[in-house]
Amino acid sequence: GAGVSQSPSNKVTEKGKDVELRCDPISGHTALYWYRQSLGQGLEFLIYFQGNSAPDKSGLPSDRFSAERTGGSVSTLTIQRTQQEDSAVYLCASSLVSGTRRAGELFFGEGSRLTVL
Amino acid sequence: TQLLEQSPQFLSIQEGENLTVYCNSSSVFSSLQWYRQEPGEGPVLLVTVVTGGEVKKLKRLTFQFGDARKDSSLHITAAQPGDTGLYLCAGNTGGFKTIFGAGTRLFVKA
């Protein structure tokens, strides 16, 4: 697609439920990132994919969080047994280059706003 | 732990004023980016700087990368209400992980 697409744009769930967030990156972008942004805050790195592999998952806040990427394209971020502190905007970004001096040039989606009641 | 500290955290100014936003770290970065984010949207890339001492201009915005590649500044000349937003700096050490500062929230009053 023309840009990074995320769904749903808004999700309200009850504490303890599982949620799945989807990211469709820009076609041809091999690198995909998930970040979390709490209200009024900067971006917290969660996980990075190069192709279908996630070299570093250490940014995931707990074992309730998992992510996968299939076909080198779409990625899903799953949060199990959601807690109120999981409420945030989850941003996905993709990049054409990685491991270079321009690796930080990320293209972001509009985010999925998660509210856990 | 790599950290990027931005200052000020919040800035409210009148249209026509100049301002400078700072981004500092103890880490050396191979590249540094500045992004601008508006409410309800994802950050949008403004510029990438890669060479120590580099200065880039984008209309009324001037970006500078420190000589040691540890810090950067963003200067806006004659700010306009359309410049209102959250300005984020981001650093990359050449690998896959890009870290972001907490941002400077700018409000330009007409």
Side-chain angles (χ1 to χ4, degrees):
Chain A
V4 177
S5 178
Q6 291 189 246
S7 61
S9 55
N10 277 287
K11 176 72 175 179
V12 180
T13 190
E14 294 180 346
K15 177 182 173 181
K17 300 285 189 182
D18 296 351
V19 296
E20 199 170 89
L21 308 177
R22 176 188 166 105
C23 174
D24 198 345
I26 293 173
S27 178
H29 281 195
T30 57
L32 185 146
Y33 304 77
W34 284 97
Y35 287 85
R36 179 168 71 173
Q37 186 174 33
S38 299
L39 187 62
Q41 302 298 310
L43 276 64
E44 175 189 4
F45 172 84
L46 298 180
I47 191 170
Y48 154 87
F49 287 92
Q50 178 60 40
N52 293 334
S53 300
D56 186 346
K57 303 178 182 179
S58 63
L60 295 176
S62 74
D63 58 9
R64 297 185 295 103
F65 288 72
S66 63
E68 66 174 12
R69 188 180 186 194
T70 56
S73 182
V74 172
S75 175
T76 55
L77 176 68
T78 301
I79 309 173
Q80 295 179 308
R81 305 181 303 282
T82 53
Q83 304 294 312
Q84 289 182 333
E85 60 263 28
D86 299 334
S87 296
V89 176
Y90 290 82
L91 289 161
C92 175
S94 68
S95 174
L96 185 58
V97 294
S98 63
T100 71
R101 298 182 88 184
R102 302 187 68 148
E105 294 186 348
L106 308 182
F107 294 84
F108 284 87
E110 294 190 344
S112 292
R113 180 177 298 277
L114 175 65
T115 303
V116 182
L117 302 177
Chain B
T1 302
Q2 300 169 338
L3 286 175
L4 275 169
E5 297 184 354
Q6 288 190 240
S7 61
Q9 292 182 334
F10 181 79
L11 195 54
S12 180
I13 61 171
Q14 288 292 140
E15 180 177 5
E17 293 184 358
N18 302 332
L19 67 117
T20 302
V21 174
Y22 300 92
C23 177
N24 295 291
S25 177
S26 58
S27 299
V28 176
F29 295 102
S30 61
S31 71
L32 191 143
Q33 285 78 31
W34 284 92
Y35 291 81
R36 178 165 161 256
Q37 184 179 23
E38 297 192 43
E41 299 182 5
V44 175
L45 178 69
L46 295 174
V47 77
T48 293
V49 286
V50 297
T51 304
E54 181 177 4
V55 177
K56 280 193 173 179
K57 292 193 175 185
L58 183 66
K59 297 183 180 179
R60 293 176 293 101
L61 278 60
T62 301
F63 305 86
Q64 185 162 7
F65 202 13
D67 291 341
R69 306 206 315 274
K70 294 182 179 181
D71 55 84
S72 180
S73 63
L74 158 61
H75 182 80
I76 301 179
T77 303
Q80 299 178 359
D83 296 328
T84 293
L86 179 67
Y87 289 82
L88 296 157
C89 67
N92 183 278
T93 56
F96 59 85
K97 191 171 180 177
T98 294
I99 61 169
F100 282 78
T104 293
R105 191 165 299 278
L106 172 65
F107 182 66
V108 182
K109 294 174 283 188

